[in-house]
Amino acid sequence: MTSTISPALFYFFAVILVASALGMAVSRNLFRTALLMLVTFASVAGIYASMHEKFLAVAQLLVYVGAITILIIFGIMLTKSYGVRTLTNPFAKTAVGGGVVAAALCFVVSMCIRLLPALPAGTIAVPSIYRIGISLFGVHILATELAAVLLLVAMIGALMITEKGDDAK
């Protein structure tokens, strides 16, 4: 299976990705920033899906869109700062410095790409989704279950801390 993508589809998702990432950087509304992060993660999943990388697309949707973004939105809604409509953006005054750093980073990455030798062409053994599932829920079931319990305990702890903060006031 080849990982080709049509240029029009790539540019469609790339424009959405860059626009939502820039919107996240300049937004003053915390809730809107979280929603723009959801759009950013979903457009990355769209790029993966259009490249026929089904596992990466589903993992991106489940982990980032489905779990992390929703957890951040719950965190925003559970705090008292949700009602604050306009927040100050500490990075608004450093846009020029950020542009210089971004240009320097692009220069360093382009130099590394030019100077490093290319990998030889060949096939790379990629495990199938079936093998990954067997590994996670067969051989590594204890680690998977411990991670699930750890996330559950962290969520309950965060809710208890939030509730204690409400009782103190």
Side-chain angles (χ1 to χ4, degrees):
M1 184 177 297
T2 61
S3 293
T4 59
I5 182 172
S6 72
L9 196 56
F10 173 76
Y11 287 127
F12 173 74
F13 284 122
V15 165
I16 292 173
L17 178 77
V18 170
S20 61
L22 286 174
M24 274 180 16
V26 299
S27 178
R28 291 179 170 229
N29 188 332
L30 195 57
F31 190 74
R32 188 173 294 145
T33 302
L35 291 178
L36 286 169
M37 185 174 61
L38 185 137
V39 172
T40 303
F41 289 152
S43 62
V44 170
I47 290 174
Y48 288 151
S50 62
M51 291 176 62
H52 306 291
E53 298 294 337
K54 296 173 187 164
F55 177 73
L56 287 177
V58 170
Q60 177 79 17
L61 285 174
L62 288 177
V63 173
Y64 288 102
V65 175
I68 292 177
T69 304
I70 300 304
L71 185 66
I72 288 173
I73 290 173
F74 281 156
I76 292 169
M77 293 174 80
L78 287 175
T79 60
K80 294 297 178 190
S81 66
Y82 174 67
V84 177
R85 279 305 195 174
T86 56
L87 301 174
T88 59
N89 189 349
F91 302 110
K93 297 178 183 174
T94 59
V96 174
V100 170
V101 170
L105 180 66
C106 288
F107 175 74
V108 169
V109 168
S110 67
M111 291 305 292
C112 288
I113 289 172
R114 279 191 222 150
L115 296 177
L116 292 176
L119 295 175
T123 59
I124 298 173
V126 178
S128 68
I129 297 174
Y130 176 77
R131 287 186 188 169
I132 293 171
I134 292 297
S135 176
L136 279 177
F137 297 109
V139 177
H140 302 291
I141 186 68
L142 181 63
T144 304
E145 291 297 325
L146 286 175
V149 169
L150 179 69
L151 289 172
L152 177 66
V153 168
M155 179 74 101
I156 292 171
L159 288 172
M160 288 178 67
I161 289 171
T162 303
E163 290 298 319
K164 282 184 184 177
D166 288 342
D167 292 340
K169 293 180 181 181

